[in-house]
Amino acid sequence: MGLYEKMGNRLKVIEMERAVADTHLKQGKLDIAETELLSVLEKYKSIGFTRLHYTYNLLSSVYNFQGNYNTALHYALLTIESMKSTQDTAGIFNFYSHLANLYDELGQESKSAENFSLALNRTLENPIDFYSIRTAGLYTRVLIKQHKLPQALSFITHFAKKYPPVDGYGKASLACTLAWCYECGGNPVKSEKYMLDMVHLEYFLLKDNEISEEVEYALGRYFLNNKDFSKASLHFNRALAEATYVNAAYRKRDVYLMLFKTDSSLKNYLSAIRNLNQYRLLSDSIFTIVKNWQLQEVQVKYETEKKDQDLTFKDKNIQLLTKQAQLQVANLRTEKNTRNMVLICTGLLILLLGLGYNRYKLKQKNNTQLEAQQKNITDKNIHLQHLLQEKEWLVKEIHHRVKNNFHTVIGLLGTQSAYLTNKEAIGAMAEGQQRIHVMSLIHQKLYQSENMSHIDMTDYIHELVDYLRDSLLTDRRIQFHFRMDRISLGVYHAVPIGLILNEAITNAIKYAFPGNRNGNISISFTKDKSREPRLVLIITDDGEGLPATFDENNSMTMGMHLMKGLVGDIDGHFIIYGSGGTTIKITFSDQENGVGDHRIAVNEISQQI
């Protein structure tokens, strides 16, 4: 620029200023580039320079990157108009491609396809650069958006045969387009083939260009569809960096949506929310009703200007006078309407301010009351939590002490037995100890469990059997078999059932297998599926069985009397029968209708002792 200034070549100086502005545009310094290009445009006009389409095209790019689609479209249309008026078609491919891209970003597929066709339906130099292949790919995508998939695939296939790519960028761009075509056509096999081509070509691409941005985005979608979320995230972040560098706002919007899906799949929820917010912000700022309105406004203005050029000078004057008259009438009407609207809006504003202030004070008052109520509720909840914890601790402590007291009684009975010589008395003491141990085991289970109201009977019965087997057997000649559902009982039912099991198993061990013969004892505790909530307890042995003279109703043994009494306490039904073995069957309901205690069972044991 300095050399041209010394030579006095003003046209070349302005051309250098345009080159500086173009460089700032490529650096992303959009505000500086805008100011410089507007200055260049004024200087060109001041010297009567007519080939303004190159400057118009750069200004359109600046406003496109800024998101100002109204002005961007205006300068893109001026670019085409200036090119036609000067018949300088050296940049026709770039100009129509840029206008087509702009229409595509604004969702005007038909106009985009029309301008892409104007750019591509002409003889190109062979071989061509990757930019032309990318433009052909963009045209193919627009055709797909118009639901013209066969036409799109036919076009890109013939174009690739006529102008085969010669460098990595061209090959990568073509592979990206073909992968998209076959994916949209429901041919995943061919689509994946071109995706793998892109994976190979990716390593030969440099950063900060549109081709790398498209390839990274396509690979990100490929890995996302294949649920390889880590690789998808890597490629989408690369695509975001590329889109940021080339100022591709619409691509950034799409990448943020893909990153939201990827981060959600990786459970990076904070990052996913940030990406979703960025997607919404870009969508709101780029693709809104205002942009569509601006597009229509500019298009109508451009078409009107073209029609005006075809009118004669006389028609223009008549039209101008008519427009001026209409404008004056419209201005008067607008002024009147504006005055009325101002008055109405002022009144509404005052009313709204009054209502808003009243609502604000009311809301403040309610918030204060709610905060006080919330604090009161929180304090009560904390107090109740403490009371609940204290209650649970006290209940556990009670069960622990009851268990310890039972063990003390067992110890006292054992001590007393040492001073007895009568075998029946010693046997009665031992039986009493066993019964007390049955109840002790229940309280032990209660304070060891998180649930202090119910006992898991499966674990309890196994422990009870182990205790009786160790207490009464000197070897393992008797085998125990279990068939039990997962059942929990409260103390009201657990104590009688435990004592019944103790009596039945003890009698079986002592009397069912004389002469130390081997045998089997089976215990079944299940739910009656046909009569819920009834439960069935069955104790069976394969021993000697009951004598022929046995009468259940007239039997006065301690064990039989105790079992019948305990079954009656839980409103159950008792059956005993046997030939070649003995079976005791008890059915009862597990619903507690009264206060759960075991005073009767304790009284029976005391009488036996």
Side-chain angles (χ1 to χ4, degrees), residues 231-279:
K231 288 186 178 179
S233 177
L234 174 66
H235 288 288
F236 281 139
N237 278 292
R238 289 178 180 173
L240 181 61
E242 297 291 343
T244 302
Y245 181 81
V246 298
N247 294 301
Y250 70 100
R251 178 65 78 194
K252 288 172 66 177
R253 178 205 63 174
D254 295 340
V255 172
Y256 277 124
L257 180 60
M258 294 297 104
L259 280 171
F260 160 70
K261 295 179 179 180
T262 305
D263 287 338
S264 297
S265 301
L266 291 171
K267 298 183 179 180
N268 298 331
Y269 297 119
L270 291 177
S271 179
I273 291 171
R274 285 195 294 269
N275 288 322
L276 181 61
N277 287 335
Q278 289 297 324
Y279 165 76

Side-chain angles (χ1 to χ4, degrees), residues 15 204 213 235 266 327 366 400 419 437 488 553 602:
E15 185 178 333
F204 301 95
E213 169 240 326
H235 288 288
L266 291 171
L327 184 61
N366 290 338
H400 190 205
Y419 294 94
H437 183 81
S488 296
N553 296 323
V602 175

